[in-house]
Amino acid sequence: MNPSTAQARVLVDELVRNTVSHVVLSPGSRNAPLSFALHEAATAGRLTLHVRIDERSAAFLALGIAARTGRPVPVVCTSGTAAANFHPAVLEADRAGVPLVVLTADRPPELRASGANQVIDQRELYGSAVRYFDELAVAERRSGQNAYWRSQICRVWNAAYGEWRSGPVHLNIPFREPLVPDGSAGDDGDGEDTTWPESLDGRPRGARWTELPDFGALPSFVVPSARHGLVIACDAGVRAAGEWAELHGWPVVSETGGLGIGGTTAIAGGVWLLGLEEFLTEHTPEQVLCIGRPTVFRQVQRLLSNTDVEVLLVRPDSDWPAPAHNVRQVGQWFDEPTKPADPEWLLKWRRADAAATAAVRDTLAAQPWPSGLSVASELAACLPADSLLVVGSSNPTRDVALAGVRRPDVLVHRNRGVAGIDGTLSTAIGAATVHPGPSYAFVGDLTFLHDLNGLLTGQAETRPDLTIVVLNDDGGGIFSLLEQGEQQHSGSFERIFGTPHGADLSALCAGYGVPHTLASSRVALREALRPEPGLRVVEVRADRSGHRDLHARLRAAVARSVGAR
């Protein structure tokens, strides 16, 4: 067989030996050796292959699968701008700690030097965003290749898991022609090529070439030591944080509100309480146990900036969430506290939480339907048990946290590494593909339109059971809640921030062959949220002109209710 075919088959075999179960492939010419090898492995039942023609969507699909399974997922493309289109997902995987294995095919050096077509400099294309980069030597018919190829796959796999934190890795693979199996011995995938100068077999009994260390071990812990403490739980370890907090009597505030976190100490309205200066003045914790990296709410950042508060970081990324640089401890998990919590402290937080969530519920019930918050509240309440909910950036992630609905039996995923709207539909489809229960996504219209190609699924590909709920307010509703939405900027707001688009989501869905439902009432939304097989879109149309006023009314209602206590 030719060297490119031999190399590709060995690489795929070693990936499988390193426990790969899903691979995402975008078609191309230069990556043909890998495409054939992956198809052979999928046909043999050794892995599940997902094919997507849009590289950006493909990479986010792989990211969604990797985030949900916790296992590295390879994503494969041809050379040139195809590799550049992986970059947004690589950046998200870096900051979110998702193990992504990027395999980019390339021209060999002699073609790069001759002005060949479809050539860019792919070496270290993703810069510092990857945990490890290597470029394989061009495959040759000589001894020593098998061990080299297999060893490098193990190094890539090892780096994706990371000793401290998982993340993306990049392996650039120059292929020399011929790029397709040429019909010579061994090219049919059966039998051994006796003309190859060495055996291309892996280790006996399917073992990986190089055994990896156990990165599941937890070598470092933070040790809380305050009677008046508070847990801030982000995406990493939310459920474990709820269990720990309940055991030790600490109130816990999650960036996903009451979703995905259990226990009697979970404060579903915690984000509202952190925004009340009067409440926080009398309820400033001595220590904050911050799990992951908070990215949504400024009131959380203000709390972490308080120099009177000791910050304990658990599983942070490379940029510590510590605006005041007052971190006391950093670790991979949390240990037993050295002091018992003050039960009166927890009781005060729970009473305030009950008042805040009731105020939010009553205020939303009195408002005209729909708003982002009312849709988030309805969605959270209606989800079947053990559902996956993928939440888009901008308003949806805020609405879910502020809705005040407790659903500990829901698993939440958010792309909060760099908090962009890139690839959210593809991420949701990837995560839903491997989630065993019902799956939902909640996104805004711009997020939906930005990744519309995520709906593009070939006839040979499977579509997961996923309901995508789109809050369509015809533009950038998030900006009305920020400084850009203040009255003095009203003259320029719509053109450069509001950006109304007038797109017909129903027609777009029809073009992609995806069922679409317009939910024009609460009852219609509840009906549309009933679990059904396949991929579908539920659209709720809203008027964003009242966003800012609604949030002001909610803040006032929460402040009155908590102050009355």
Side-chain angles (χ1 to χ4, degrees), residues 382-384 438-440 466-467 523-533 536 538:
C382 291
L383 291 179
S439 297
Y440 295 80
L466 173 67
T467 300
V523 174
L525 177 59
R526 291 171 193 165
E527 187 66 28
L529 292 176
R530 295 180 184 273
E532 290 185 12
R536 59 199 178 108
V538 176

Side-chain angles (χ1 to χ4, degrees), residues 19 35 89 123 129 165 174 176 187 205-206 208 262 310 314 351 369 417 475 489 522 529 534 537 548:
T19 69
S35 301
R123 292 165 298 180
R165 191 165 180 267
R176 201 172 270 142
D187 268 12
R205 295 179 294 279
R208 54 168 62 97
E310 280 193 344
V314 177
R351 286 173 176 164
W369 169 269
H489 307 303
R522 292 179 189 270
L529 292 176
V537 171
R548 196 176 186 91

Side-chain angles (χ1 to χ4, degrees), residues 68 239 383-388 407-411 435-439:
R68 180 68 188 91
R239 291 195 172 181
L383 291 179
D386 301 318
S387 291
L388 168 71
R407 285 299 304 272
D409 57 341
V410 171
L411 178 69
H435 182 69
S439 297

Side-chain angles (χ1 to χ4, degrees), residues 22 24 50-52 57-58 60-66 68 388-390 413 415 423-435 439-441 443 448 451-457 461-468 512 514 534-537:
H22 293 268
V24 181
H50 310 268
V51 180
R52 295 294 188 274
S57 294
F60 277 101
L61 180 79
L63 184 140
I65 296 172
R68 180 68 188 91
L388 168 71
L389 177 62
V390 178
H413 174 78
N415 279 355
T424 305
L425 301 189
S426 299
T427 299
I429 292 169
T433 297
V434 292
H435 182 69
S439 297
Y440 295 80
V443 301
F448 180 83
D451 191 29
L452 196 58
N453 263 358
L455 301 179
L456 184 58
T457 308
E461 306 302 307
T462 58
R463 288 180 171 180
D465 298 336
L466 173 67
T467 300
I468 301 171
Y512 283 91
V514 175
L535 180 65
R536 59 199 178 108
V537 171

Side-chain angles (χ1 to χ4, degrees), residues 62 200 223 288 372 412 478:
L200 294 178
V223 184
V288 170
V412 179
I478 181 62

Side-chain angles (χ1 to χ4, degrees), residues 211-226:
E211 289 302 324
L212 306 178
D214 179 12
F215 288 147
L218 299 173
S220 60
F221 295 81
V222 299
V223 184
S225 59

Side-chain angles (χ1 to χ4, degrees), residues 508-553:
L508 292 170
C509 288
Y512 283 91
V514 175
H516 171 277
T517 299
L518 179 62
S520 55
S521 68
R522 292 179 189 270
V523 174
L525 177 59
R526 291 171 193 165
E527 187 66 28
L529 292 176
R530 295 180 184 273
E532 290 185 12
L535 180 65
R536 59 199 178 108
V537 171
V538 176
E539 179 186 358
V540 181
R541 294 175 186 167
D543 180 357
R544 56 185 162 83
S545 63
H547 280 3
R548 196 176 186 91
D549 288 342
L550 174 58
H551 277 254
R553 286 195 296 274

